[in-house]
Amino acid sequence: MDFDRHCAEIVTQAELLATELADAGLTTPVPSCPGWTLGALVRHLGAGHRWAAEIVRSRATAPVPDDQVRRVDGDDSGRLPGSWLVDGASELATALREAGPDAEVWVPFHYRTASFYARRFTHETLVHRADATLAAGLEFRAAPEVVLDAIDEWMELEALPLHFEFRPEKREILGAGRSVGFESGEHAWFLDLGGSVVTWERGRRGAAVTVRGSLTELVLALYQRQDAQDVFGDLELFKLWQTHVRFG
């Protein structure tokens, strides 16, 4: 997926959430986001779109206050504010397109261009749509190319060495011979935990523990939205790894 598709997909995922959950009550608990209602989730996501849009639009060179993203309390009466959610997604997509993928902006990691926010908020919106869909008891579906890109991005961000600086305890997952594989048909990913940092690559290798499932099942398992069902090999290693995964 390229920059233009990411921009379009932010809006598409917001529209799908607004449509699929139009009749859901805002007081519906969201088990995959403990303590949140559906209303809180929508407020968080819509505020996140607007926060990122401000960063891109202003070409921010330092962090922009994100109180609006973290403060999810609010009125859960009435219907889901679908138009407000889609408007925020559209605002972000417009800001991104006007800036272009190479516009330099502040980013919380080592990335430095607007393209980061295009990809990140595609999958932020996708996964929160999954949260909302599952909370309402509906089946979560997504286009294969979107899920593939979501898994690639998850691997890339979760493997950043920067995580060890903020959470030194994450080093507990490292050890000789340790690795985790994820497989879905012709697609596969390999996480190597055997060195001083986590590395990843596409493809099958002899992992110490392997998770198999549909692409949707894998992305939900990686984001810990659903338990992995088919896990083979060193189950204790998989449990240890899961307890140290925090991205997403």
Side-chain angles (χ1 to χ4, degrees), residues 164-200:
F164 292 122
E165 296 181 21
F166 295 112
R167 293 186 289 109
E169 69 275 11
K170 186 175 178 179
R171 294 191 181 278
E172 295 172 11
I173 66 173
L174 302 175
R178 291 181 175 178
S179 57
V180 186
F182 294 86
E183 299 178 358
S184 180
E186 63 182 311
H187 304 289
W189 295 261
F190 179 83
L191 277 165
D192 189 346
L193 313 178
S196 59
V197 295
V198 178
T199 62
W200 75 279

Side-chain angles (χ1 to χ4, degrees), residues 18-128:
T19 300
E20 294 167 347
L21 280 297
D23 296 325
L26 294 181
T27 59
T28 302
V30 182
S32 52
C33 299
W36 282 14
T37 60
L38 178 58
L41 183 150
V42 171
R43 287 188 290 273
H44 166 79
L45 184 57
H49 290 147
R50 289 165 171 83
W51 171 78
E54 176 60 23
I55 290 173
V56 174
R57 191 166 43 237
S58 67
R59 305 295 193 274
T61 58
V64 171
D66 62 354
D67 295 350
Q68 64 200 43
V69 181
R70 299 179 183 278
R71 190 171 57 242
V72 298
D73 57 307
D75 184 3
D76 281 345
S77 63
R79 296 173 61 82
L80 187 142
S83 295
W84 176 81
L85 180 66
V86 174
D87 285 347
S90 299
E91 181 181 331
L92 174 54
T94 297
L96 286 164
R97 289 190 179 104
E98 290 178 351
D102 299 323
E104 293 192 5
V105 296
W106 173 83
V107 177
F109 300 111
H110 67 284
Y111 309 93
R112 288 293 175 268
T113 64
S115 60
F116 171 87
Y117 289 103
R119 191 184 198 194
R120 179 80 289 277
F121 274 90
T122 290
H123 304 310
E124 175 82 357
T125 312
L126 172 78
V127 173
H128 280 320

